[in-house]
Amino acid sequence: DKCGDAEAIQKLLAQVAYETGYYSTVYQPADGGAGLIHMIPGSWQLNAHDMDKLWPGHDYAGKAASMGKNFFQTADYGWGSVAAWFKSTNRVIGGWGGPRFFENPYR
């Protein structure tokens, strides 16, 4: 559980600041990526399904399918998306799947 870990929270906020250009954007037109951690469109549905596994009964996958990039840009869903990414969606990076927090995938 990282919720009470001050160092993990600082690292998370620093990562989000980096990924969003110091909170100035949550969309990258060059590749269509969106969200607080710049997720490419090919990972959106997987991430929303992972959110559904973490918090059942909210139909995040359905909402992401209908909202597209806007789903990941909202405060309502953006932070949950980040949590799901660090808990499980990160498996899309070869050799780096699973609950990893602030580890370098390129070690």
Side-chain angles (χ1 to χ4, degrees):
D1 180 16
K2 297 292 183 178
C3 292
D5 183 335
E7 183 179 356
I9 292 167
Q10 290 169 353
K11 288 179 179 180
L12 172 68
L13 293 174
Q15 183 68 35
V16 172
Y18 174 80
E19 301 260 355
T20 60
Y22 296 96
Y23 301 98
S24 66
T25 185
V26 288
Y27 181 67
Q28 174 50 260
D31 63 4
L36 297 168
I37 55 163
H38 184 84
M39 192 176 325
I40 59 171
S43 298
W44 292 351
Q45 278 301 301
L46 179 63
N47 182 253
H49 282 287
D50 288 342
M51 290 173 69
D52 282 328
K53 289 177 189 171
L54 289 171
W55 305 287
H58 297 281
D59 189 30
Y60 294 119
K63 291 172 182 159
S66 67
M67 294 175 66
K69 68 179 176 62
N70 296 324
F71 178 87
F72 300 94
Q73 296 173 315
T74 68
D76 289 338
Y77 308 121
W79 290 104
S81 169
V82 170
W85 171 265
F86 280 106
K87 288 290 283 181
S88 58
T89 312
N90 62 57
R91 67 187 176 276
V92 300
I93 300 173
W96 198 54
R100 303 224 176 164
F101 296 89
F102 317 111
E103 294 179 25
N104 183 348
Y106 307 106
R107 54 182 163 10

